[in-house]
Amino acid sequence: MTNGPDELRPARLLIVRGMTIMAAESVPVGVRAPKMRKTLLGYVPIVSPFYDYHPVTRLAMYIFFGVAPVFIDLPEVNVVLLLITIGLLLWGKVDLRRLRIYLPLIATVAMFMFTMVFIFPGQDPSYTPIRIGPATIYYQPVFFTFASYWRLMAMLFGTILYFSTNRERDMLVALRAIRLPFIASYVVGLSIRAAGMFMEDFRTIREAEQARGLDTSAMKLSDQAKLYMMYLIPLFSIALRRADEISNALFARGYTLTGQVEGGGRRSDYILNQYQMTTKDWGWIVIFMALFVAAAVAQYGFGLFRLVNSPLNIYLRSLLGIP
Amino acid sequence: MAAVTSSMNTVWDVEPGESRKPGIVHVVMLALFTGIGIVVGTFGSLAVPLGFVSAFWPGQAVQSIGAIWFGWWGGIAAALFPLISNSLSGSAPLPVSIMYLPGNLLQGMVAAWAFRYFKTDPSLKTQKDWWVWIIFGAVLPNLIGAAWGSTTLVAFGLVQQAAQFTTFLGWFIGNTIPTVILGSLVLKFVSPLVVKTKAFCKGLWA
């Protein structure tokens, strides 16, 4: 038996960390296998070395990369963290082209921040004016804005790294593993799932209207805006009906408001059994938490990451003759 | 002849013999409304971004509406969903979103409290209903939210103190206009359905 171009090779199922992944062999010959899968939170790679780590490890990584830059004023350090994050995205086999949706935001944030500091530099008499043609900018607030921008970018990419390498199931596992109360992790899980259902319903309503001959491209922008707003009415109605159905289903299965098991006892958690912590997970969690605490202590205890210690700031001040 | 007395029953009045208490349906509604807010908030943040503020953020309408219909359950959803929608859209990192929490909670609960205190019909039937909605559902929550949010941005060094008022103004306008338009539509047409459901909260919890 030979495989023709239209025959599918048998699919190989991989079970990695409780995730069933369809391997690339299930696509026809000559067709490029998809590398990314769409989730409710974004696109995640189908295969990634990140999946060898427990979701709690990835959460700890997020806490470090997504939050620690709050403690760091030095733009040099934040740029390094940013580059490390981009490196991790590449190592994790994330398709960076999918991140293009963030480009407008990255650009507008920069424009917003620097425009604001140009128009509203502040009134501090110690600020050093720098004339650039007809315009005057002030060094201290501009450098502060520059540093703040890179801190923001470091945190943003830390968040992008997390959502690009974790499915909603992984988020849920991480929350359950850190012993978040069942009711809280249930709410988070259902919220994320509801967001996906909401988008699906929206798509269905739009397709139904298009099947009835609605041509949105021929409509004025204001009419399109009104149309989108009107979609929310059936969507809210669907949500109400769904709430009834889900709550009846939960009640029928014995779930209570508190999430406690009737009669006491520990709730069995099937999903957690699919993920095992290994030594390297514990190692990395300790490293990330230690780095996080170290960053906080270094900044608030010793002022290590303050702007006055920035080599670039020191260099520019010497160049401009600012004491 | 017996004196004729009239007592107007509002949707907020508990009927004789009626027993209302929090249940699973409220938790489910909290989760579903958080999901709705995630989608609406993410769309708004990505639609017309102006740096940290959006020129069009209909998420605040979801905050007010959710709290009006479902009391504290809607208020909790109002506080929670921006944590995720801000992360998904990249409009605010997690630490900033966490600091936004009190502002977001108030953006929902001000309307919840006002509608119950003034016995305002969520279907916006009378002129008084409309005034309460616009003042306590749109204007006041966004004044609070914009003040809190712009102060948070200054505290994190993302905006200069001197630019705080401009940021506040952009935030307020970008939130209030979609709230008035979108929120009015949804309250007018969907409230008659909601008030008949068991998820609807006559009090703040049930």
Side-chain angles (χ1 to χ4, degrees):
Chain A
M1 190 171 82
T2 56
N3 286 339
D6 294 326
E7 279 183 58
L8 296 177
R9 295 198 197 106
R12 182 163 58 94
L13 291 177
L14 301 174
I15 303 202
V16 176
R17 289 282 181 154
M19 252 175 44
T20 304
I21 305 165
M22 189 75 74
E25 291 171 33
S26 62
V27 298
V29 175
V31 176
R32 183 182 284 185
K35 290 184 185 166
M36 302 287 282
R37 173 191 292 135
K38 189 169 191 328
T39 69
L40 295 171
L41 301 173
Y43 284 88
V44 297
I46 291 178
V47 177
S48 170
F50 274 113
Y51 301 148
D52 293 336
Y53 294 87
H54 195 279
V56 173
T57 312
R58 290 178 248 160
L59 183 65
M61 184 177 71
Y62 174 42
I63 289 171
F64 175 69
F65 283 106
V67 181
V70 165
F71 309 131
I72 300 170
D73 294 338
L74 300 181
E76 297 87 345
V77 176
N78 282 320
V79 168
V80 167
L81 285 176
L82 175 62
L83 292 172
I84 292 173
T85 309
I86 294 173
L88 286 170
L89 284 166
L90 290 167
W91 177 75
K93 297 185 171 43
V94 175
D95 185 358
L96 293 187
R97 287 171 300 178
R98 296 281 180 198
L99 306 183
R100 272 181 304 203
I101 53 164
Y102 296 106
L103 285 178
L105 197 87
I106 289 170
T108 55
V109 163
M111 280 164 43
F112 177 82
M113 288 175 80
F114 287 101
T115 303
M116 285 289 125
V117 79
F118 173 67
I119 298 172
F120 303 104
Q123 305 276 342
D124 195 322
S126 67
Y127 288 167
T128 308
I130 302 170
R131 289 198 67 84
I132 301 176
T136 302
I137 61 171
Y138 294 86
Y139 173 78
Q140 287 84 351
V142 168
F143 191 84
F144 181 78
T145 300
F146 174 78
S148 298
Y149 179 74
W150 287 111
R151 180 171 56 215
L152 180 68
M153 288 300 111
M155 289 193 283
L156 173 64
F157 272 80
T159 305
I160 291 172
L161 174 63
Y162 182 73
F163 284 109
S164 298
T165 53
N166 286 270
R167 299 182 321 164
E168 47 284 358
R169 179 184 168 122
D170 297 325
M171 268 181 70
L172 215 54
V173 168
L175 294 175
R176 297 250 185 106
I178 60 173
R179 299 286 180 256
L180 197 72
F182 172 77
I183 202 86
S185 63
Y186 181 78
V187 166
V188 172
L190 184 57
S191 306
I192 296 171
R193 190 142 299 265
M197 290 193 285
F198 189 71
M199 288 191 286
E200 247 341 284
D201 293 337
F202 176 75
R203 210 169 290 135
T204 304
I205 293 169
R206 270 182 63 83
E207 283 172 3
E209 288 195 320
Q210 282 162 2
R212 284 168 178 77
L214 181 71
D215 181 11
T216 53
S217 58
M219 293 168 77
K220 286 189 297 185
L221 195 65
S222 55
D223 290 337
Q224 284 190 43
K226 279 185 222 166
L227 183 69
Y228 276 103
M229 291 200 186
M230 292 304 287
Y231 285 146
L232 283 176
I233 294 167
L235 287 171
F236 273 95
S237 310
I238 292 169
L240 288 171
R241 195 184 66 229
R242 198 168 271 147
D244 237 4
E245 292 166 355
I246 295 174
S247 60
N248 287 340
L250 287 170
F251 183 74
R253 284 163 177 76
Y255 285 90
T256 60
L257 180 63
T258 58
Q260 301 288 331
V261 176
E262 206 173 302
R266 200 185 150 96
R267 172 180 296 282
S268 61
D269 209 331
Y270 168 78
I271 201 172
L272 278 187
N273 296 333
Q274 303 301 304
Y275 294 79
Q276 304 299 326
M277 291 284 282
T278 61
T279 312
K280 68 180 178 184
D281 288 309
W282 286 113
W284 279 109
I285 289 171
V286 167
I287 288 171
F288 284 128
M289 292 296 102
L291 284 173
F292 183 84
V293 170
V297 168
Q299 174 69 334
Y300 296 119
F302 302 97
L304 204 65
F305 296 124
R306 289 174 53 212
L307 272 184
V308 293
N309 298 324
S310 160
L312 180 63
N313 190 18
I314 293 168
Y315 170 71
L316 287 174
R317 287 173 89 99
S318 68
L319 203 67
L320 296 168
I322 303 170
Chain B
M1 195 159 71
V4 176
T5 57
S6 65
S7 62
M8 289 194 48
N9 261 6
T10 67
V11 295
W12 307 107
D13 296 323
V14 178
E15 303 289 334
E18 186 183 8
S19 164
R20 301 185 77 88
K21 52 185 181 180
I24 274 272
V25 67
H26 296 106
V27 176
V28 171
M29 207 62 225
L30 157 65
L32 292 183
F33 237 78
T34 304
I36 290 172
I38 289 170
V39 174
V40 175
T42 307
F43 164 73
S45 295
L46 289 173
V48 193
L50 292 176
F52 303 108
V53 302
S54 172
F56 181 83
W57 201 68
Q60 202 281 314
V62 176
Q63 291 175 319
S64 283
I65 292 167
I68 288 168
W69 288 342
F70 308 116
W72 271 109
W73 304 102
I76 295 168
L80 282 183
F81 82 73
L83 283 176
I84 301 177
S85 69
N86 287 348
S87 298
L88 289 177
S89 64
S91 61
L94 185 65
V96 176
S97 293
I98 290 172
M99 281 302 292
Y100 284 162
L101 271 170
N104 282 318
L105 185 68
L106 282 172
Q107 281 186 173
M109 291 312 292
V110 165
W113 171 83
F115 268 63
R116 285 159 179 80
Y117 183 78
F118 294 113
K119 302 281 188 203
T120 306
D121 194 317
S123 306
L124 306 179
K125 288 180 176 159
T126 66
Q127 205 174 41
K128 172 204 151 197
D129 298 336
W130 278 94
W131 278 113
V132 172
W133 159 241
I134 287 172
I135 293 170
F136 293 96
V139 173
L140 189 56
N142 285 308
L143 280 174
I144 295 170
W148 185 273
S150 57
T151 305
T152 301
L153 291 175
V154 169
F156 275 91
L158 300 175
V159 161
Q160 295 278 81
Q161 177 89 57
Q164 185 178 358
F165 182 70
T166 309
T167 307
F168 163 84
L169 214 55
W171 192 308
F172 173 72
I173 294 170
N175 276 18
T176 305
I177 293 175
T179 300
V180 170
I181 299 170
L182 182 71
S184 305
L185 277 171
V186 174
L187 281 176
K188 188 82 189 153
F189 293 108
V190 185
S191 293
L193 301 171
V194 173
V195 298
K196 294 180 190 152
T197 65
K198 55 187 179 183
F200 176 68
C201 290
K202 292 185 177 182
L204 285 170
W205 285 109

